[in-house]
Amino acid sequence: NTVFRGRHFINLEDFTKEELDTMLDVSLDLKRKFAMGEDTNYLHNKTGFLMFFEQSTRTRNSMEAGMAQLGGHAGFLDSSSMQIAHGETAKDTAIILSRFGHMIACRYCNWGRGNQYLTEMAKWSSVPVMNLQDDLYHPFQGLADLLTIKEKHQDLRRKKISIIWAYAESHKKPISVPVTQVLLFPRYGMDVWLAYPKGWELPEWVIEQAKANAEKHGGTLTITHDEAAAYKDADIVIPKSWGNWVTDQTGATVTGATAVIDDALVSNKSWKCTEAKMATASKDVMYMHALPADRNNEVEDSVIDGPHSIAYDAAENRLHTAKAVMTLLVGGK
Ligand code: CP
């Protein structure tokens, strides 16, 4: 008897496992209907606002296309062209936008501020506020990852999934994807490995919560600095980010002139995902990456383009999971 309508979508931890399973079921139903060309006008006459403080390919377009396919309208808002640029608060922005439409979604990855901003908007908004990625969480990515893995493995219990990341609180790198994944996968009874060179730790509260989730749901969490151990016999590997994807002062991912090349990343380039490393994993190992990927430094083309890669499948599922969340929270019961 779950009520979805009107709830915010900021962190997957706010939803029970049963509620997440409903989101996955609805995603698969919408995916089937999309393939069949069936009408899915569940959000007819609804308006959603998509606010972006940073760049996006997958998130923006899955939400815009998704809203159109659900019969509604999405308005794209670049924060730099809003009155936020003149200091308008999250509170005032949320109150006004929620009087104009039916949902507000926002990407704000600024270190130490993004999640606070989203939470403040949710406090004042009278319509659902959705997190399109902040400094701590990326719930739409987590849900699409989960759907993609479940399409390949019905039963996730005791599957070894290795998150091999160079993002850490101490380096003020965005940690939203690994935090979301390390909290989520133990809830499905998976054996989660978190591998990184020393010095790239996630916050202690994340590890404590991930351990608690593992204990409750029969999964495990192993932390290692031994990359080979993380690959060995893994069912799924998620190696990122050892390349040129670096952040600017706000925590946004950038390349080019504003990029600050991190020496620590350069010195750990040996952590690139290679065919040789993949060969030590399970014979059916799946390679995942949230994308965008730095093909020069993060992964060999033969891996990301190879038969074990489900990176594009996960990106495709961003559309169907986005539509499921919007349908349930904006149009659901
Ligand atoms: N994975 C992801 O969120 O992609 P974008 O940054 O392109 O939205």
Side-chain angles (χ1 to χ4, degrees):
N1 200 20
T2 297
V3 174
F4 284 100
R5 189 175 190 166
R7 288 171 67 181
H8 303 302
F9 185 74
I10 293 188
N11 179 1
L12 294 178
E13 293 284 293
D14 297 335
F15 293 86
T16 65
K17 186 167 171 292
E18 290 68 31
E19 289 169 342
L20 295 180
D21 287 340
T22 300
M23 290 177 184
L24 296 179
D25 286 347
V26 173
S27 302
L28 285 174
D29 187 46
L30 287 164
K31 185 172 183 175
R32 185 186 64 77
K33 287 176 170 150
F34 183 68
M36 299 285 286
E38 288 182 22
D39 282 347
T40 52
N41 289 316
Y42 302 122
L43 298 185
H44 179 64
N45 277 346
K46 304 283 192 207
T47 303
F49 295 105
L50 310 179
M51 279 174 62
F52 281 83
F53 286 77
E54 292 99 10
Q55 310 92 326
S56 166
T57 296
R58 281 142 290 271
T59 306
R60 173 181 174 176
N61 290 294
S62 60
M63 297 294 285
E64 279 192 4
M67 193 49 140
Q69 291 162 20
L70 293 168
H73 172 77
F76 172 74
L77 304 174
D78 177 344
S79 68
S80 66
S81 62
M82 296 173 70
Q83 295 296 4
I84 293 165
H86 290 146
E88 187 158 35
T89 60
K91 172 183 173 179
D92 289 351
T93 305
I95 290 172
I96 298 307
L97 292 180
S98 60
R99 291 192 183 193
F100 289 169
H102 304 91
M103 60 169 254
I104 304 169
C106 179
R107 167 172 286 191
Y108 192 14
C109 302
N110 190 307
W111 186 263
R113 294 178 64 182
N115 185 259
Q116 278 179 18
Y117 190 90
L118 268 286
T119 306
E120 179 70 3
M121 281 214 298
K123 183 175 163 190
W124 296 103
S125 171
S126 59
V127 297
V129 170
M130 300 183 192
N131 182 356
L132 301 179
Q133 187 176 21
D134 64 24
D135 52 333
L136 297 180
Y137 307 112
H138 198 353
F140 281 106
Q141 184 65 50
L143 201 60
D145 291 341
L146 185 61
L147 179 67
T148 312
I149 297 168
K150 278 181 78 80
E151 285 178 324
K152 319 289 177 190
H153 291 292
Q154 289 288 320
D155 187 356
L156 301 188
R157 284 174 297 177
R158 309 324 305 255
K159 294 283 183 242
K160 176 174 175 179
I161 185 164
S162 295
I163 303 166
I164 306 167
W165 279 76
Y167 284 0
E169 185 178 34
S170 56
H171 291 255
K172 301 216 177 328
K173 300 288 177 201
I175 56 172
S176 57
V177 175
V179 168
T180 300
Q181 292 170 338
V182 82
L183 293 177
L184 177 63
F185 297 143
R187 298 175 69 187
Y188 283 79
M190 302 183 83
D191 291 333
V192 179
W193 286 57
L194 188 58
Y196 51 86
K198 282 184 184 155
W200 294 86
E201 286 75 20
L202 290 178
E204 193 51 39
W205 63 265
V206 174
I207 301 305
E208 290 307 314
Q209 185 59 46
K211 281 183 185 161
N213 289 353
E215 200 163 309
K216 186 170 174 191
H217 296 284
T220 60
L221 177 67
T222 304
I223 296 176
T224 182
H225 306 304
D226 180 351
E227 188 193 18
Y231 275 94
K232 185 166 171 35
D233 298 328
D235 297 295
I236 302 128
V237 293
I238 313 177
K240 193 179 182 337
S241 171
W242 309 100
N244 282 333
W245 297 106
V246 294
T247 55
D248 66 12
Q249 301 304 328
T250 71
T253 305
V254 294
T255 55
T258 54
V260 182
I261 301 294
D262 193 314
D263 288 344
L265 274 185
V266 172
S267 63
N268 285 300
K269 275 194 171 176
S270 66
W271 283 61
K272 175 177 177 173
C273 182
T274 63
E275 265 195 89
K277 291 175 191 173
M278 292 290 284
T280 68
S282 146
K283 73 175 175 43
D284 296 321
V285 62
M286 296 187 290
Y287 165 87
M288 293 186 81
H289 192 297
L291 303 177
D294 176 348
R295 284 169 173 264
N296 291 321
N297 298 299
E298 282 185 331
V299 60
E300 290 178 349
D301 284 350
S302 56
V303 173
I304 193 168
D305 296 329
H308 295 284
S309 174
I310 56 170
Y312 297 119
D313 299 337
E316 177 186 340
N317 280 336
R318 291 292 306 271
L319 173 69
H320 308 299
T321 47
K323 287 164 71 175
V325 172
M326 290 191 285
T327 298
L328 288 165
L329 273 53
V330 179
K333 185 170 169 296

